[in-house]
Each structure stands twice: as C-alpha cells, then as structure tokens.
Amino acid sequence: MAEPDVIHSWSAPRSLSTSLMYSFAQRDDTEVVDEPLYAAFLKATGVDRPYRDEVLSKMECSGDKVVKDVIYGSGSKKYRYCKHISKQRLFGLPSELMSKGKHFILIRNPLNILPSFEKVHPPSFLELGLGELVSIYSDLCQMGTPPAVIDADELQRDPETTLRGLCDDLEIPFQASMLKWKAGPIPEDGVWAPWWYKSVHESTGFSSPKKYSRTFPLSHYDLLEQSLPLYNILRSHVKHSSSLLSSPLPPPSLPVPENAKLLAWVGDEILPREMAKVSVFDSVVQGGDSVWEGLRIYKGKIFKLEEHLDRLFDSAKALAFENVPAREEIKEAIFRTLITNGMFDNTHIRLSLTRGKKVTSGMSPAFNRYGCTLIVLAEWKPPVYDNDGGIVLVTATTRRNSPNNLDSKIHHNNLLNNILAKIESNNTNAADAIMLDKDGYVSETNATNIFMVKKGCVVTPHADYCLPGITRATVMELVVKENFILEERRISLSEFHTADEVWTTGTMGELSPVVKIDGRVIGDGKVGPVTRTLQNAYKKLTEDSGVPIPTYQEP
C-alpha cells in the first residue's frame, strides 16, 4: 500500500460538498474521507453539536495525527478525496495539510445557503466559513499553487461540464460514473449524516437548481451583507460561469491594459475597479441625473482644474443639487485618487457628481436625502484621436438639443442625444459625428467642439446649442494670442465642407485635425498650418500651467 494522491475539497456548509463527495466516491480509482478534521475542530473549539460526543469517541481528535495518518496515510487506491469544511482548518495544524496534495474550493451563494442552514444550527459568520475560504485561497496562491474554484450553482446547472473542468484542473481523468449514484447513505458518511444528509440520501445525482428560490429570511439579512462580498471575491476566480444573467461574450480586451487594475473614488472611499459601483437607487442610475467634467493630467499637474470645478458647481446649481461637497473636498478626492494610483501624467479623469442616492425609486429629487455621490475615475489614457494624421467626421441626422428643451450649458450625464449621433458615426467608421442645431447650422460633434479656417480666419459656432467647452475657450484665447482672426457665428455645413482647415477640441482629445467630412476632403487632406501652430501652443500651455498634485516630484 502506498500514499495516495490527495485531493482536498474546501467549502462552506450547505454548498453541495456532500453531493460532490458522493460523486468522487463513484470513481474506481478514488477513496473518499468525510471531514477528517471534524473531531479535532470540536475538541479545540468546544462548540456544541447534537452528535458531539459520538464524533469525539469515533474519530481521531489530534489534528497532527489526522493530517499524518488519515489524510496522508497509506491507502489502496490512486486518489484520496478529502472533503473539508473551511472553518475546520485550525491554527497550528501541520503545514503539510496545505503544502501537499491538490486543492480546490467549492463555493455557493450565501443567498442560497442561509435559508436552509438553521435547520440544524443557527448560522453565523464564523459558521459560514467564507472568510476562511478566502484565507485558504490566498494562502495557496502565496504558495504558488492557486486552487481551482467551482460554484455549486454551476455544478447543479451543468454537472458534466463543471466536473470535466474540475478534473482537468486537478489533472485527473474524468469518469462518467461521477454523474450518478445510488440513493441512500454510503459507508464513508460521517456520523453527522442523519442530521445533514437527508436530501443527499434521497438523490441519485446532482439535481437541477430550482427555478425560483424560497423567500429569503430577513433575519439573516445582515449576515448576507457580511458574507456576500467574500463570496464574490472567490466567484471572480471561477473559470467558467454560465449564470442566468451573465454575458455569453468573452472578457473584452481593454484599450489600455494597465487600466485593468485601477482604483476609483466612489462616494467617500477608494475602491478597486470591479468594486467601484454606485447604488441602484442612485440618481445617475434612476434618470441620468448627474453632472460631470473631464480632466487631463500633464507631468504632475491638473490642467484647468479650477475652471472645470467652476463649471461642475454651476451645472449642479442649475440642476438644483443639494448637499453638494465642498470644493476642497472634491479636490482632495481627486488628489488622493491620482496619488493612490500613481497617475501623474498621460491620465484622464472622468469626474462625476450625481444628485445622490434616493430613499425609494422615482423621478422626484425630493427622494434624494443622502447627499450627492462623487465619482473620480482616473485612467491611463493618451489622446483618443489621431492628432497627427487627422480624423474623419460624418454629419448625424440626430439634432443637437435646443435650449428650449435642455440647455447644453449644463454639463449633464444624460447623453442619449450625443450617443444617438455617435451610433451614426460608428456605423460609418468615422471618428465622430457633426451635430446640427434645429435650423441646420453646425453646433458641435457628439463629443467635442469644432473649429474651421477659411482664408486665414478661424471660425467656431456660437455656444447656443453646444457646451461652451473649456478646451474650446482655451483654444479661442490661443487663436487671438497667435494673431489669427477669430470669429464666433452661425456656420452652415457646406462651409465646413469647403473649409481650408478643420479641427475639434476637447479635454480627452485635445486638438484633433479633421481631414474629411461626409466624403469631402478638407483642404489638401493634410493637417494645416494654423492647426499645427495651435497644437504646439496648446502643448506648451499644458506644460507650463496647471494645479500641482501634492507629493509629485519630477523624475
């Protein structure tokens, strides 16, 4: 007899761990052991169970001996499957418990665990053991052996695919016998089986999940709030998920891969990317009721920060926001987010201020009694357009909002008007779409302000139907400073078609030359001299001005 290859299954109670043990018991090359550390756990902790005395009398109580003689003792089959409950991993057990064998973690949504748990024992955070499961995952990762994670819901929904994937992770062959077993107990059941295993003894395989779960007992609501984040941490490491509401699409690649691990400010705290979320009761979710600004960072300085904050507060006041954070609070959140991320250059911030969370869903701002929600989303982001070779625009059929309907001087998050125009540009593979006002004059693009040059004169539309952009105002100042003629007036679409030069302006894209509009080549199809002059002047301005980020030191 030799020492088998040990497979460790770690789970919380009520997670189909017994069904999975029954599954492995059907293999012709595997012996199973049901919670070998249970007696050691009961003896060390003193916790009460209706079967406590029987367990202590029939099982080995020494954790050291269990690890050496039961878990890693000799056996007659190639594999030994050990079913473990996470809370039974006691401090002081031999290190071999974790360093040897193959480990995997079985998880289940506490929303599905808690309703049935108290049939035998009142649930608690410790009894659920999700904290210890996260610790087990972390410890194994630090050892260089990250365990596979499978979800009990996936196991019920598609047993064969889930088991095949698990066997691949464990580097053992899948056996079809794992999918079925005879009803009734098996000899390897622990002495606690009469209290816990009734449904398993009545089964002959993994049962399909119920379409509708039972009503959740509100007495466990606090425990659910405590445990669900830990479940979600582990669930993020499940390789294959086919949840009812999950997307069938593979994870997309990011435009800037470094942004996969960023930290964002939401409310009053900094959170990792996938945890940075707002409430379903937040006004930005309920009705796009929010204002925003785009900020760009150049070599340790935030360009035009004060001007952007002026507009943010003006927009919030125009929309009658209440309990708005103080200016210094917002600046502090911006600084802290940038410093925490180490983002001091080539960075863009999407700064949002929502009306805040509501006490109940609905349109009325009277429901907003929590104060505003501040979001600081900083990303590594170079200019988003081709500012060297130029971009192509098309004209959208979607008209720009009239001040009669929604004043564009309010920099609000309700961007459906712009998005509809952007869809039109996407459909033609253009960079953006020009939007006209109600009378057919050019207003702006779906994302930027727009300028043109004709016979040496720089012309831009009135900011009546468009946002009076801060980059727009900066470029207008540079036009005058560089001794070009500046004119602000109504401009027809045909004037842009026949212009000598065209460019767009915005914080995210800076000055972007336009070389073609609606199939018409602008000028000679190359970036014009006025555009180049202003691009250089803008670049110098960003290098020389801006609000310094505290703690930044030039490399």
Side-chain angles (χ1 to χ4, degrees), residues 293-309 330-339 343-349 351 376 378 470 507 538 541-550 552:
E293 292 294 323
L295 305 170
R296 187 165 278 286
I297 287 78
Y298 299 92
K299 295 182 179 179
K301 292 180 289 188
I302 306 173
F303 189 60
K304 298 288 181 178
L305 174 59
E306 301 297 348
E307 290 86 342
H308 280 287
L309 291 180
I330 294 178
K331 289 172 72 171
E332 193 66 26
I334 293 170
F335 292 145
R336 286 180 59 186
T337 302
L338 291 172
I339 293 168
M343 293 179 175
F344 301 111
D345 193 23
N346 211 27
T347 299
H348 179 270
I349 289 178
L351 177 69
V376 184
I470 290 169
T507 300
Y538 187 86
L541 186 64
T542 61
E543 293 172 349
D544 295 341
S545 62
V547 176
I549 301 169
Y552 173 74

Side-chain angles (χ1 to χ4, degrees), residues 371-405:
C372 295
T373 302
L374 177 66
I375 302 169
V376 184
L377 174 57
E379 295 180 278
W380 301 108
K381 186 169 290 188
V384 295
Y385 302 111
D386 182 356
N387 291 350
D388 294 319
I391 62 174
V392 174
L393 302 179
V394 294
T395 302
T397 59
T398 303
R399 290 294 196 261
R400 195 67 183 93
N401 288 328
S402 164
N404 288 323
N405 306 114

Side-chain angles (χ1 to χ4, degrees), residues 54-365:
E54 187 177 2
V55 171
L56 293 176
S57 65
K58 292 184 177 180
M59 293 181 67
E60 176 58 61
C61 297
S62 166
D64 286 356
K65 290 183 179 180
V66 170
V67 173
K68 179 182 178 182
D69 300 332
V70 180
I71 295 177
Y72 291 119
S74 60
S76 59
K77 294 191 175 182
K78 184 174 183 180
Y79 302 109
R80 175 175 293 143
Y81 180 96
C82 293
K83 169 193 161 192
H84 301 297
I85 301 301
S86 60
K87 63 176 177 282
Q88 296 171 9
R89 188 182 75 144
L90 299 169
F91 179 77
L93 288 172
S95 60
E96 289 79 11
L97 175 65
M98 305 304 296
S99 63
K100 292 177 62 178
K102 298 176 180 178
H103 300 256
F104 75 92
I105 290 176
L106 172 66
I107 60 172
R108 193 180 189 190
N109 193 326
L111 194 66
N112 298 324
I113 293 176
L114 289 168
S116 65
F117 196 104
E118 63 184 354
K119 290 180 180 179
V120 175
H121 193 76
S124 67
F125 184 80
L126 179 63
E127 291 290 345
L128 279 179
L130 278 164
E132 184 60 24
L133 270 185
V134 172
S135 179
I136 289 169
Y137 182 86
S138 177
D139 289 349
L140 289 168
C141 287
Q142 287 188 351
M143 293 177 190
T145 55
V149 181
I150 63 171
D151 195 307
D153 293 337
E154 300 295 330
L155 184 59
Q156 281 189 301
R157 189 174 294 110
D158 192 350
E160 183 171 347
T161 300
T162 304
L163 287 172
R164 284 184 180 276
L166 177 60
C167 288
D168 287 344
D169 289 328
L170 296 173
E171 298 178 321
I172 65 174
F174 168 76
Q175 293 187 4
S177 59
M178 299 173 72
L179 297 171
K180 295 290 182 183
W181 52 83
K182 293 181 180 180
I186 60 175
E188 295 88 348
D189 282 347
V191 298
W192 48 88
W195 282 268
W196 291 104
Y197 293 179
K198 180 182 178 182
S199 60
V200 180
H201 290 165
E202 293 174 350
S203 71
T204 58
F206 295 101
S207 58
S208 299
K210 295 179 180 178
K211 186 174 181 180
Y212 302 110
S213 59
R214 69 184 72 180
T215 300
F216 186 81
L218 293 183
S219 58
H220 300 330
Y221 190 88
D222 291 346
L223 185 53
L224 178 66
E225 280 192 318
Q226 295 167 19
S227 56
L228 197 56
L230 298 173
Y231 163 76
N232 286 330
I233 289 173
L234 293 168
R235 188 173 183 272
S236 68
H237 298 288
V238 174
K239 284 186 178 179
H240 306 289
S241 175
S242 57
S243 171
L244 181 65
L245 298 179
S246 66
S247 170
L249 300 175
S253 59
L254 300 181
V256 180
E258 290 80 3
N259 287 325
K261 294 182 179 180
L262 57 77
L263 298 155
W265 182 285
V266 181
D268 59 358
E269 60 181 335
I270 294 177
L271 297 164
R273 178 185 177 119
E274 296 305 318
M275 297 173 66
K277 306 178 190 300
V278 297
S279 168
V280 294
F281 287 98
D282 197 284
S283 287
V284 73
V285 178
Q286 295 273 320
D289 189 4
S290 175
V291 297
W292 70 283
E293 292 294 323
L295 305 170
R296 187 165 278 286
I297 287 78
Y298 299 92
K299 295 182 179 179
K301 292 180 289 188
I302 306 173
F303 189 60
K304 298 288 181 178
L305 174 59
E306 301 297 348
E307 290 86 342
H308 280 287
L309 291 180
D310 287 342
R311 189 171 63 185
L312 184 80
F313 285 111
D314 285 348
S315 296
K317 187 172 184 179
L319 290 176
F321 280 17
E322 295 183 356
N323 299 308
V324 175
R327 190 184 194 92
E328 289 305 312
E329 289 180 288
I330 294 178
K331 289 172 72 171
E332 193 66 26
I334 293 170
F335 292 145
R336 286 180 59 186
T337 302
L338 291 172
I339 293 168
T340 303
N341 282 289
M343 293 179 175
F344 301 111
D345 193 23
N346 211 27
T347 299
H348 179 270
I349 289 178
R350 174 80 174 215
L351 177 69
S352 298
L353 186 69
T354 85
R355 194 183 297 271
K357 192 168 65 171
K358 294 176 177 288
V359 294
T360 186
S361 61
M363 182 190 303
S364 176

Side-chain angles (χ1 to χ4, degrees), residues 3-6 28-31 75-80 173:
E3 181 182 323
D5 292 335
V6 178
D28 57 18
D29 58 0
T30 304
E31 62 182 62
S76 59
K77 294 191 175 182
K78 184 174 183 180
Y79 302 109
R80 175 175 293 143

Side-chain angles (χ1 to χ4, degrees), residues 395-400 416-418 420-421 424 434-436:
T395 302
T397 59
T398 303
R399 290 294 196 261
R400 195 67 183 93
L416 286 178
N417 182 241
N418 308 66
L420 288 170
E424 295 188 60
I434 290 176
M435 300 183 73
L436 309 179

